[in-house]
Amino acid sequence: MNKIDLTKIKYYPDRFYICLDGFDTNNLTTFISDLNIGQQQAIFIHEYYHYLTNISTFPGVRQFHLNFCDRFKLITILAHKNNIDAFPINKNILENNKEEIEEWNLITSIINDDDIDYRLVEETQQSQNKKFSIKTIKEIEKPISTVVDGNKINGGRKFIQIEIDGLININSFYLTFGAIDEFLSSSIDEYLFENNLSEINYKTLSQRPFYPYQFFDCLLLHYDILRPSAFEKILIAYFALNSYNPALKLIEILEKLKHTDDYEEFQSKPEEYLLSNFKDTKQYTDVLDKTNDFANETFNQGRIHISQAIKYFYDKFYIAQQLKEKDFFYFIRPFFVPEVNTIKGKQKFLLSLSRIINLFSPPVILENNIFKSVDKLTTFGESTMLIIATYEIFESIKTEQIAKRPNYLKNKYSFPDNDPNCDVFEIFKPPPITSVFQLALNELSLYGIYLEELNRKTKK
């Protein structure tokens, strides 16, 4: 069995792709027919569930709408107001851009607050014991303010703050959506190994950083929940992720499960127990409607390519919500299969998992610098490439006036059009446009501005 470097395996939220260097990507889903989940297939399932969380939960869909749709709107507004002088964003102090810049910074703050605390990961790895202990857990509220139509609106966002011992420079951190997402996928690793569904050595996976991969067990122990099964951990993490505030929901569940009677009721009737005690009453149709409105708005503006990309993912978001309305646990239904460690149970498990994969094609795969799309019959691949290129532009114009592809990404991958000069604006030409990166610029109203800048420089 070839040793896989787990540090190179990663799902990129909102960009909808997985990096799987060193994998046999042509045989990733053969386990559906040959009933053999090998090392690579087990790791793929871990990452695939990150993708499912991204497209099927309120926090995942909200994150995409904020991170992509709202920032896309802001850039087009800035470009319309001040052309090239609106950029770079981090240096924009123009009075008529104040509202947009404040909203950009608010979005950045919200997205960062949802992510895994990588400073905590690094500090823990550098510590002597490579772990920390929990002192206290409490709910706090952070104030949030933004400007809408010239009016300042004040509000707040609730967090779970965890005070810790064992690190020198960090005494507390916030439990985040990104960390709980990792709790789910790591529990799935454990489930596959426990039930003889995977040949991967779970001890290898347990060598990953304490936070967030092993911290879930520490959190459960803090609430006196001893030796929960992998199935129970999957249920708890999944239920929390499918709420409006995963961190608050997770702690609410654990606070109740620490009582013996509640835990026994949960074990005997897990679905009924969770749904009757913790289910959010409202659906997240608002954020879905806003995403659909964005797709329609961009289409009416003539930005048909980005509209097509958003429509593709909106359809996935919508289908996921409809499935959960009929069966809240649809996306983890395979793990409910009884006697899964038997041949018949294994077949049922894989059949149930294959139904999900058939409905939700795996994300685009990056293997050895090349993008591959499993679903070749739709616009999935093209849509994802345009979204990835647009994100590159978002990041670039924060610090650059003219968008450039950063060198670390140029070394990581090239787009399928294989245009190494796609970001050299000095050689930009009038449409038609064939480069993915330049097409993304055009959808953002930047390509024409760059052509104007090029003409201005040429005339000097």
Side-chain angles (χ1 to χ4, degrees), residues 52-217:
L52 292 179
T53 296
N54 195 171
I55 65 174
S56 70
T57 66
F58 168 75
V61 175
R62 184 203 61 176
Q63 177 175 284
F64 175 72
H65 186 84
L66 280 170
N67 205 14
F68 189 86
C69 302
D70 283 354
R71 293 210 291 179
F72 190 103
K73 289 179 184 177
L74 290 173
I75 289 173
T76 58
I77 293 170
L78 290 170
H80 175 73
K81 282 186 174 181
N82 294 98
N83 294 327
I84 201 167
D85 293 331
F87 310 103
I89 289 174
N90 287 357
K91 293 183 179 179
N92 187 325
I93 56 173
L94 298 171
E95 187 61 31
N96 68 331
N97 291 163
K98 184 177 180 181
E99 185 175 320
E100 288 78 25
I101 298 302
E102 285 189 4
E103 187 173 351
W104 178 281
N105 291 334
L106 175 61
I107 289 169
T108 301
S109 173
I110 292 172
I111 296 302
N112 289 340
D113 285 340
D114 274 349
D115 202 358
I116 293 170
D117 188 336
Y118 288 101
R119 178 171 164 263
L120 175 64
V121 176
E122 184 177 354
E123 176 86 7
T124 306
Q125 283 298 96
Q126 291 175 352
S127 68
Q128 184 175 357
N129 296 324
K130 299 189 183 303
K131 63 186 301 185
F132 53 82
S133 59
I134 299 172
K135 286 176 62 180
T136 61
I137 297 175
K138 61 183 178 181
E139 179 183 320
I140 68 162
E141 185 169 333
K142 288 174 61 177
I144 291 179
S145 62
T146 187
V147 177
V148 179
D149 298 327
N151 299 314
K152 189 172 184 179
I153 300 175
N154 296 315
R157 192 178 182 200
K158 293 182 178 179
F159 290 85
I160 292 297
Q161 185 181 60
I162 302 179
E163 294 184 351
I164 59 174
D165 270 333
L167 302 182
I168 296 175
N169 299 310
I170 299 178
N171 299 316
S172 67
F173 66 94
Y174 297 128
L175 186 61
T176 65
F177 166 58
I180 300 171
D181 182 21
E182 206 60 73
F183 293 171
L184 174 62
S185 283
S186 297
S187 298
I188 289 171
D189 295 336
E190 187 177 343
Y191 177 93
L192 295 175
F193 182 72
E194 273 186 5
N195 291 284
N196 199 29
L197 286 163
S198 166
E199 65 184 37
I200 193 167
N201 187 342
Y202 182 69
K203 291 182 180 179
T204 301
L205 294 174
S206 68
Q207 293 172 7
R208 293 176 300 190
F210 172 73
Y211 187 82
Y213 298 101
Q214 301 171 55
F215 180 68
F216 195 16
D217 286 329

Side-chain angles (χ1 to χ4, degrees), residues 404-436:
K404 299 280 288 184
R405 292 199 67 212
N407 287 329
Y408 80 93
L409 288 181
K410 286 183 178 181
N411 295 329
K412 184 176 182 179
Y413 58 75
S414 59
F415 289 104
D417 49 62
N418 289 315
D419 183 356
N421 297 317
C422 63
D423 62 342
V424 182
F425 99 101
E426 287 83 1
I427 61 174
F428 280 8
K429 297 177 181 179
I433 299 168
T434 57
S435 160
V436 173

Side-chain angles (χ1 to χ4, degrees), residues 281-452:
T281 54
K282 58 181 181 177
Q283 298 298 317
Y284 53 94
T285 51
D286 285 353
V287 71
L288 284 174
D289 289 344
K290 287 179 181 178
T291 304
N292 191 43
D293 290 344
F294 172 74
N296 292 332
E297 181 183 352
T298 50
F299 179 83
N300 293 333
Q301 293 172 350
R303 308 176 202 270
I304 58 172
H305 299 284
I306 206 65
S307 177
Q308 182 185 55
I310 300 303
K311 279 288 188 182
Y312 179 90
F313 287 102
Y314 165 77
D315 288 344
K316 295 302 179 187
F317 301 155
Y318 180 81
I319 292 169
Q321 186 194 29
Q322 295 301 302
L323 287 167
K324 287 195 304 177
E325 285 183 5
K326 293 183 177 180
D327 176 7
F328 186 82
F329 296 95
Y330 176 85
F331 288 98
I332 56 168
R333 189 55 67 189
F335 304 99
F336 283 83
V337 172
E339 299 181 347
V340 72
N341 55 353
T342 65
I343 294 296
K344 189 173 182 179
K346 188 175 183 180
Q347 290 173 334
K348 285 185 177 180
F349 172 85
L350 290 170
L351 176 61
S352 184
L353 182 59
S354 69
R355 291 182 65 199
I356 298 172
I357 293 175
N358 286 335
L359 276 175
F360 299 91
S361 297
V364 168
I365 295 169
L366 178 63
E367 179 195 10
N368 303 325
N369 306 87
I370 299 172
F371 283 112
K372 298 182 178 181
S373 177
V374 175
D375 184 354
K376 296 180 174 63
L377 299 178
T378 70
T379 60
F380 182 34
E382 294 85 346
S383 296
T384 307
M385 293 303 101
L386 186 60
I387 285 172
I388 293 170
T390 305
Y391 269 117
E392 287 190 6
I393 295 166
F394 287 172
E395 293 304 309
S396 179
I397 59 177
K398 284 195 300 187
T399 56
E400 304 289 337
Q401 190 170 47
I402 305 291
K404 299 280 288 184
R405 292 199 67 212
N407 287 329
Y408 80 93
L409 288 181
K410 286 183 178 181
N411 295 329
K412 184 176 182 179
Y413 58 75
S414 59
F415 289 104
D417 49 62
N418 289 315
D419 183 356
N421 297 317
C422 63
D423 62 342
V424 182
F425 99 101
E426 287 83 1
I427 61 174
F428 280 8
K429 297 177 181 179
I433 299 168
T434 57
S435 160
V436 173
F437 187 83
Q438 293 175 17
L439 182 61
L441 287 172
N442 195 50
E443 297 289 280
L444 283 162
S445 299
L446 295 176
Y447 193 80
I449 291 174
Y450 291 172
L451 284 180
E452 290 175 6

Side-chain angles (χ1 to χ4, degrees), residues 4-51:
I4 293 175
D5 184 355
L6 294 175
T7 62
K8 295 183 179 179
I9 310 303
K10 180 177 172 63
Y11 171 71
Y12 290 83
D14 299 350
R15 288 157 177 81
F16 306 113
Y17 80 91
I18 305 175
C19 183
L20 294 178
D21 281 350
F23 276 53
D24 177 10
T25 54
N26 293 323
N27 293 304
L28 272 182
T29 57
T30 55
F31 62 83
I32 293 172
S33 56
D34 64 22
L35 305 182
N36 179 40
I37 302 179
Q39 182 188 55
Q40 294 187 2
Q41 285 80 13
I43 296 172
F44 164 74
I45 291 171
H46 173 111
E47 302 300 335
Y48 179 64
Y49 265 88
H50 286 315
Y51 172 62

